[in-house]
Amino acid sequence: VEIIFKNQYLLARKERHNFMNKKDIWRYKSLEQLENKTWGTATEQDSGLIQKCLALVKIPVVKLSASELRVLIGQSFNPAYLVPSALEILQNDVLVTAGMYSGDLLKTVLDVPAFFWEEHPDLHKSLIDMMQERSEEIETEIDLPEFWRKAEA
């Protein structure tokens, strides 16, 4: 009986590990790797923002901070890879200060174009659910874009 239980446990653990690897492996890659695109190296002539972005696209998505996600999302880097990580951070602290002011990461995520949310209804629902749960807190801190005022109603 003990051997059977141990085998079942090991099999379930292996299946869970394989599922996680297949589902979440992208998080351990950089934007350059995920998009199979090289942005190159920043030069001294590039602005500080460009230098920062060119460095950040080389970092695995899972290691990006709230501030780094805010910068990349705000500069229109691929939200399909960045928004899920940002939403995870926001679930823990919806008004996290990501380098500028309270709620700046949320505001940046809310500024992602509407077509992204239409193409990713699961992420859209997750964000709306979170905003509805914390609506009073959010509305006292940030001015919601028109698209989100409609979505929240």
Side-chain angles (χ1 to χ4, degrees):
V1 172
E2 186 176 329
I3 292 173
I4 293 170
F5 177 77
K6 186 174 182 180
N7 286 341
Q8 288 175 335
Y9 168 77
L10 291 174
L11 181 61
R13 185 173 165 205
K14 182 179 176 184
E15 287 174 4
R16 186 175 66 243
H17 179 73
N18 287 340
F19 176 74
M20 197 279 301
N21 283 343
K22 290 175 187 171
K23 180 181 164 213
D24 292 331
I25 192 117
W26 64 268
R27 293 175 181 272
Y28 297 92
K29 294 182 178 184
S30 68
L31 284 177
E32 279 194 341
Q33 292 169 319
L34 290 164
E35 295 183 351
N36 198 23
K37 179 178 183 179
T38 303
W39 276 282
T41 305
T43 66
E44 290 181 16
Q45 290 79 29
D46 291 326
S47 70
L49 180 59
I50 290 173
Q51 291 177 16
K52 184 173 194 163
C53 289
L54 290 176
L56 293 177
V57 297
K58 294 169 178 28
I59 298 173
V61 172
V62 73
K63 293 190 176 197
L64 295 171
S65 69
S67 176
E68 293 164 340
L69 288 166
R70 179 190 53 77
V71 168
L72 289 171
I73 294 168
Q75 293 303 310
S76 301
F77 281 84
N78 194 332
Y81 298 119
L82 301 172
V83 167
S85 293
L87 289 177
E88 287 177 7
I89 292 170
L90 293 170
Q91 288 291 343
N92 292 325
D93 183 359
V94 72
L95 294 174
V96 63
T97 301
M100 294 176 57
Y101 56 87
S102 178
D104 58 353
L105 179 60
L106 176 60
K107 180 72 168 90
T108 300
V109 168
L110 294 175
D111 287 339
V112 171
F115 69 83
F116 170 81
W117 300 107
E118 292 163 2
E119 292 175 2
H120 298 87
D122 55 328
L123 296 175
H124 186 235
K125 182 179 179 347
S126 175
L127 182 55
I128 287 178
D129 289 348
M130 178 182 56
M131 289 176 56
Q132 287 174 340
E133 290 171 12
R134 311 279 298 276
S135 63
E136 288 181 29
E137 184 179 357
I138 291 168
E139 289 173 7
T140 61
E141 290 292 325
I142 63 172
D143 185 28
L144 292 176
E146 183 66 28
F147 177 79
W148 293 104
R149 278 185 257 152
K150 293 176 191 173
E152 213 184 16

